Amino acid sequence: MEFLPFTRPAIDEDTIAAVGEVLRSGWITTGPRCQQLEAELSAYCGGRPVRLVASATAALEMALQIAGIGPGDEVITCPLSWIATANVVLKVGATPVFVDADPATRNIDLAKLEAAITPRTRAILPVDLAGLPVDRERLYDIASRHGLRVVEDAAQSMGANWRGERIGSFGDLVSFSFHANKNMTSGEGGCLVLNNADEARLFEKLRLQGVTRFADGTMDVDVLGGKANLTDIAAAIGLGQLKKLDGFNARRRELAQLYFEHFDRELGCALPPADFEQSNWHMFQPLLPLERMSISRGEFIARMKAENIGVGVHYPAMHLFTLFREKGYAEGDYPVAEDIGSRTVTLPLFPAMTDEDVIRVCRTFSAVLRAVLH
Ligand SMILES: *Cc1c(COP(=O)(O)O)cnc(C)c1O
């Protein structure tokens, strides 16, 4: 049996040819392909302005800058995410304030969010974990009642929707990632959906040294920018992927449904929310019944690997990392995030998988786990 990774990008021959064209064209950095991808992403997001960037991490950091967030400000987020989500808050000099995860959705617990709001709170940074959207009605209701900006970390939820409305087509600032593991990739890369032309213009400056170029060939710099523009090489990959995104996501939903059909329900694992309408099924993550197991999660993953099945961990609760422990966070602060973070495993889920692959993963998962249950 061939090794089945937990994810693998699907790049077609047309895309590979399009990258070759860019390489032969003499223009390989930001150029016409980036412009075209920005236009197509904007169309995908209901006509809102979209700007490309070298990573979603950079998009989030610049989104916080655009929202005017800096030292002394607090940004509310969830400790159950990729570490980028909180790092960007620290990068702009603000303070991340965590709210525990909801055990049902595994996203930020909106029932606990308002208790975390202080006079210093300026924004909410919600994460659509595994591609399952945070409840946008409750989220924006809270934000508007308290006058807060929202920076959506939608890195994992491209193509997902909230009650039929595509993520990115509404709301405040919305960031998507095109990292190699995401539902749509450009190798590395990302984009930010913005509210208006002024924000888009500021974003363009922030991603490229603060520069404004004028028609007469002169330039000016009036803000401090960084270097986070995307290349046309990456944009050519993104263009090929965007064409296929809805098809990819439809296949991911089918595969997730198959997981629910074939998963051994007697193992005592908690399955993810069975949402086949809104989620884009970026990941499929059961929670291990650790208290009934005679081996650790790490050993379980090693045994799956020995059976040629790749299993990931996304993610340990981030407030337990040294960087945050040093700021005073400790075990027990966010028990739901800690519990999910310690038990979660990511099983293979990517569009090129066959139905038989899912059945094989379920069968192997069951056999490996049953052998160590007490
Ligand atoms: C991937 C990811 C990011 C960061 O995306 P990059 O493009 O790798 O910078 C941020 N947040 C979440 C939830 C992610 O999954």
Side-chain angles (χ1 to χ4, degrees):
M1 279 285 179
E2 227 181 280
F3 182 73
L4 184 68
F6 74 80
T7 192
R8 187 165 60 205
I11 310 290
D12 60 19
E13 290 302 320
D14 286 350
T15 302
I16 293 169
V19 169
E21 259 177 58
V22 170
L23 292 174
R24 280 187 283 266
S25 74
W27 192 282
I28 61 177
T29 185
T30 310
R33 290 289 163 261
C34 284
Q35 265 188 359
Q36 187 187 342
L37 182 54
E38 284 182 344
E40 292 190 13
L41 288 167
S42 173
Y44 194 80
C45 294
R48 301 183 69 200
V50 180
R51 293 296 180 271
L52 290 167
V53 63
S55 72
T57 306
L60 289 167
E61 186 179 334
M62 292 190 280
L64 292 170
Q65 287 178 274
I66 285 172
I69 289 156
D73 298 334
E74 293 176 354
V75 176
I76 294 177
T77 192
C78 184
L80 197 61
S81 180
W82 175 229
I83 185 66
T85 308
N87 279 353
V88 294
V89 178
L90 293 173
K91 281 277 186 178
V92 300
T95 305
V97 171
F98 294 120
V99 168
D100 207 355
D102 174 335
T105 64
R106 306 177 187 176
N107 285 329
I108 192 166
D109 191 336
L110 294 172
K112 294 184 180 149
L113 198 156
E114 284 189 273
I117 295 174
T118 76
R120 289 170 172 245
T121 307
R122 298 285 311 281
I124 308 171
L125 209 174
V127 183
D128 302 322
L129 197 67
L132 180 74
V134 170
D135 181 332
R136 293 299 197 271
E137 270 143 41
R138 285 178 75 191
L139 171 71
Y140 278 98
D141 175 58
I142 295 169
S144 69
R145 279 192 287 107
H146 294 271
L148 304 175
R149 293 296 299 259
V150 176
V151 176
E152 298 182 21
D153 183 347
Q156 302 184 0
S157 55
M158 181 113 192
N161 69 85
W162 177 254
R163 303 240 160 107
E165 281 190 79
R166 199 175 265 164
I167 300 304
S169 70
F170 65 99
D172 196 349
L173 298 164
V174 184
S175 163
F176 293 114
S177 172
F178 305 142
H179 175 267
N181 285 355
K182 300 301 187 330
N183 289 28
M184 151 178 171
T185 185
S186 60
E188 297 282 359
C191 69
L192 188 69
V193 188
L194 304 114
N195 293 295
N196 54 53
D198 285 346
E199 284 185 355
R201 190 67 213 106
L202 177 54
F203 190 80
E204 288 170 7
K205 289 197 272 191
L206 291 174
R207 78 179 165 188
L208 196 58
Q209 315 286 12
V211 166
T212 304
R213 292 182 186 281
F214 301 106
D216 65 358
T218 62
M219 61 178 254
D220 189 26
V221 178
D222 61 354
V223 295
L224 176 59
K227 181 70 167 75
N229 55 307
L230 197 72
T231 67
D232 263 21
I233 303 167
I237 302 172
L239 283 163
Q241 291 272 293
L242 183 56
K243 278 191 194 71
K244 301 212 145 170
L245 178 63
D246 290 345
F248 286 162
N249 287 344
R251 179 62 184 152
R252 282 175 175 277
R253 282 189 187 112
E254 280 175 10
L255 292 165
Q257 247 159 337
L258 269 180
Y259 265 119
F260 277 87
E261 277 169 39
H262 292 276
F263 200 88
D264 181 348
R265 300 305 179 100
E266 281 159 26
L267 298 171
C269 293
L271 294 187
D275 177 320
F276 304 109
E277 301 292 325
Q278 302 182 118
S279 175
N280 69 357
W281 286 98
H282 173 58
M283 296 187 282
F284 181 84
Q285 301 167 300
L287 306 183
L288 293 175
L290 284 180
E291 58 289 345
R292 296 180 55 205
M293 292 166 57
S294 58
I295 59 171
S296 67
R297 174 171 62 184
E299 178 57 23
F300 175 79
I301 291 170
R303 290 189 189 188
M304 290 294 285
K305 194 173 175 199
E307 300 291 332
N308 274 330
I309 293 175
V311 174
V313 173
H314 307 89
Y315 300 92
M318 65 172 84
H319 65 284
L320 299 180
F321 291 139
T322 302
L323 182 68
F324 291 95
R325 285 184 185 272
E326 284 172 357
K327 296 180 190 303
Y329 291 105
E331 222 128 332
D333 287 350
Y334 306 102
V336 178
E338 289 167 25
D339 182 58
I340 296 170
S342 66
R343 296 198 288 136
T344 189
V345 284
T346 306
L347 301 188
L349 179 56
F350 54 91
M353 272 173 69
T354 63
D355 293 7
E356 290 67 38
D357 287 332
V358 173
I359 293 164
R360 180 182 142 215
V361 174
C362 289
R363 204 187 309 121
T364 308
F365 189 100
S366 175
V368 169
L369 196 50
R370 277 177 183 265
V372 299
L373 284 183
H374 52 72

